[in-house]
Amino acid sequence: MKTFDGVDYLEIDGLFSEEEIAVRDTIRAFVTDRVMPVIEKHNREGTFPANLIPEMADLGVYGANIQGYGCPGLNNVAYGLIMQELERGDSGLRSFVSVQGGLCMYPILAYGSEEQKNKWLPEMAKGKVIGCFGLTEADFGSNPGGMITTAKKDGNGYVLNGSKMWITNGGVAHIAIVWAKLDGRIRGFIVEKGTPGYSTRDIHGKFSLRASVTSELSFQDCRIPADAILPNVDGLKGPLGCLNQARYGIAWGGLGSAMACYHEALEYSKTRIQFDRPIAGFQMVQEKLAWMIREITKGQLLALQLGRLKDAGKLKPHHVSLGKMNNIEIALKIARMAREVLGASVNTDEYQCGRHMCNLESVYTYEGTHDIHTLVIGEAVTGIPAYK
Ligand code: TGC
Ligand code: FAD
């Protein structure tokens, strides 16, 4: 496989530490050697490359920014660079890792009991236990606070009823972090696969994130033990607190897709001859390439500042919204522009920008749609929430 040199128009590499660069380059090589040779096949067949799960565990990507419990304890910039490199391969791979770390290990770490942390986190870091995160319901996507899945106290435990929709890793997960209303308040529960009354159904026929498992979760009189509840949080701030972690990673991940598409368009334009010259020599193609490199560079600075703020404990949810919103918007536009540069060639999966473009259409929507993040920023600057 061809090596990937990344994109560094403005000597931004000089702003990273040696350790951050080393982590990035390790994951970059893994994606080049292990992901790129197989990803188009998985995308075509609609399968997740499950054989890579233990290899990624060996690289320490699950809960990479968590301290203790068998996790590497990297800083948040190194963690972000891991997300960038994985999404250079495919958004589905980054999704898998974001859900495992940001949406499943994080709530156990932040809201769980010491017993729950010791039981689950080391096994999840090793990739032996896979998680999924059930917040969205068929009728409650942008408005998760309206959820109708319930938990009822019943003797020494709880009974869950309801369903969750569009859940990444659902069908392959050993545990689900499920958000449900207990006496009208949102609470988190760890539900183990195989619990009677808990079932999953994979969603097929997807246009995007085809190399990722997306499922519906159903709970029918599903009885779970008393120690399944996450004891240290209640209310919508519980799941939204997890989303801050995953959205932060997505801000970096989008750059990976954008870089892959920029690279492909640049290389193609230098070798594609029309009117007896490389199309890279035409002003309108150069305008596209210049726009791509401009926006990638701004996106890199944005992601890096988010990471430095996060490491300093100063990152606010509305900062994360800016990163997720901006970097996925530019990545999607870059993928569409790359598609234009490739002409008809983009119609086959010999080239990757069509796959990235389709993936990014979903990334634009999940973890808070582009418009919801616009409203989060609107609220931050005006003080007036405009969601309802
Ligand atoms: P609102 O009244 O504003 O807030 C309720 C409580 O939550 C607190 N809060 C937050 N806490 C932590 N982090 C945040 N980002 C927070 N945003 C709000 C807030 O302070 C309040 O706390 P308290 O103590 O007063 O109770 O809530 P709202 O109902 O008006 O909704 C606000 C809105 C629309 C921004 C929120 O609902 C939202 O973000 N909606 C989007 C839903 C979403 O992002 N879903 C994602 C599902 S998971 C997913 O897509 C995974 S894809 C994974 C992959 O494959 O990579
Ligand atoms: P809706 O909320 O119905 O929104 C439809 C449109 O209306 C959007 O354009 C939206 O911006 C707009 N809109 C809604 N409310 C407002 C408003 N107040 N103001 C202005 N515009 C508004 N969820 C999970 O819980 N776990 C997962 O692992 C997960 N993985 C996913 C994987 C994939 C591949 C996909 C596609 C989705 C996944 N989701 C997951 C669900 C995802 O988070 C939701 O799709 C997303 O939050 C949007 O909800 P919705 O699809 O119901 O759209």
Side-chain angles (χ1 to χ4, degrees):
M1 264 287 151
K2 257 176 80 181
T3 55
F4 179 72
D5 295 329
V7 176
D8 189 11
Y9 185 75
L10 208 56
E11 298 191 20
I12 292 171
D13 272 8
L15 303 177
F16 296 124
S17 70
E18 274 180 28
E19 186 190 13
E20 289 159 357
I21 296 271
V23 168
R24 182 197 66 187
D25 290 350
T26 301
I27 305 300
R28 183 171 288 175
F30 164 76
V31 169
T32 299
D33 297 341
R34 304 291 296 141
V35 178
M36 297 315 289
V38 299
I39 194 63
E40 295 300 355
K41 177 175 174 287
H42 283 285
N43 190 65
R44 197 182 282 189
E45 294 173 0
T47 52
F48 178 74
N51 61 312
L52 299 179
I53 294 173
E55 293 183 40
M56 290 196 286
D58 290 344
L59 292 169
V61 304
Y62 306 132
N65 55 351
I66 291 177
Q67 295 278 351
Y69 303 99
C71 301
L74 296 176
N75 74 10
N76 285 292
V77 171
Y79 168 82
L81 287 165
I82 292 174
M83 299 297 141
Q84 172 186 294
E85 295 305 316
L86 291 175
E87 199 144 0
R88 196 266 294 187
D90 192 80
S91 301
L93 205 66
R94 196 271 309 136
S95 273
F96 182 88
V97 176
S98 297
V99 168
Q100 177 79 348
L103 295 183
C104 296
M105 295 172 75
Y106 174 81
I108 294 172
L109 178 80
Y111 314 138
S113 65
E114 208 46 46
E115 291 72 32
Q116 289 169 335
K117 292 181 211 184
N118 285 317
K119 177 172 180 186
W120 297 115
L121 294 179
E123 292 301 290
M124 295 181 85
K126 286 184 212 145
K128 299 235 163 91
V129 170
I130 303 304
C132 69
F133 177 87
L135 177 63
T136 303
E137 298 181 2
D139 293 330
F140 298 95
S142 297
N143 177 26
M147 69 173 66
I148 55 174
T149 296
T150 56
K152 283 207 170 69
K153 190 94 183 85
D154 184 64
N156 190 24
Y158 302 92
V159 175
L160 294 178
N161 274 293
S163 63
K164 298 287 171 180
M165 196 58 182
W166 299 113
I167 307 305
T168 301
N169 297 353
V172 294
H174 303 98
I175 60 168
I177 305 293
V178 179
W179 301 93
K181 282 185 178 161
L182 175 67
D183 299 327
R185 288 289 286 173
I186 294 175
R187 299 299 303 254
F189 299 88
I190 305 172
V191 183
E192 295 188 45
K193 188 175 188 163
T195 306
Y198 170 37
S199 59
T200 65
R201 178 185 66 85
D202 290 347
I203 298 169
H204 296 290
K206 292 183 295 177
F207 290 117
S208 75
L209 286 163
R210 292 183 51 73
S212 167
V213 174
T214 315
S215 318
E216 180 179 6
L217 316 182
S218 299
F219 305 94
Q220 286 183 335
D221 294 328
C222 173
R223 187 175 298 273
I224 51 174
D227 63 4
I229 195 166
L230 293 172
N232 299 325
V233 77
D234 76 345
L236 190 56
K237 64 178 179 300
L240 293 181
C242 308
L243 296 183
N244 296 332
Q245 310 304 313
R247 291 167 175 173
Y248 165 75
I250 292 174
W252 283 92
L255 292 173
S257 290
M259 287 178 187
C261 294
Y262 165 76
H263 247 265
E264 186 163 77
L266 179 62
E267 292 308 309
Y268 185 88
S269 69
K270 288 196 281 197
T271 54
R272 174 71 180 165
I273 308 294
Q274 288 295 291
F275 301 98
D276 304 321
R277 49 196 280 226
I279 61 169
F282 295 122
Q283 289 182 357
M284 290 170 91
V285 172
Q286 288 192 2
E287 194 276 339
K288 290 182 179 62
L289 295 169
W291 194 90
M292 292 183 203
I293 194 78
R294 180 187 99 187
E295 293 304 323
I296 290 171
T297 302
K298 283 153 58 181
Q300 286 173 311
L301 293 171
L302 171 56
L304 178 58
Q305 174 65 355
L306 294 182
R308 298 289 181 230
L309 286 176
K310 191 163 166 59
D311 280 331
K314 293 184 188 166
L315 190 69
K316 302 278 190 314
H318 63 266
H319 297 147
V320 179
S321 285
L322 184 70
K324 194 272 181 183
M325 185 184 85
N326 183 78
N327 285 5
I328 298 308
E329 180 181 20
I330 62 119
L332 182 53
K333 286 186 177 163
I334 286 167
R336 289 172 181 158
M337 276 184 185
R339 180 186 60 77
E340 276 186 74
V341 171
L342 265 70
S345 298
V346 81
N347 256 331
T348 73
D349 56 16
E350 186 187 340
Y351 293 93
Q352 54 178 318
C353 62
R355 174 171 52 81
H356 281 294
M357 184 182 72
C358 292
N359 284 340
L360 289 162
E361 290 288 355
S362 277
V363 181
Y364 191 83
T365 288
Y366 71 33
E367 292 276 3
T369 67
H370 180 84
D371 290 349
I372 288 295
H373 288 294
T374 303
L375 297 181
V376 170
I377 295 169
E379 180 181 5
V381 298
T382 65
I384 306 169
Y387 317 105
K388 296 170 188 162

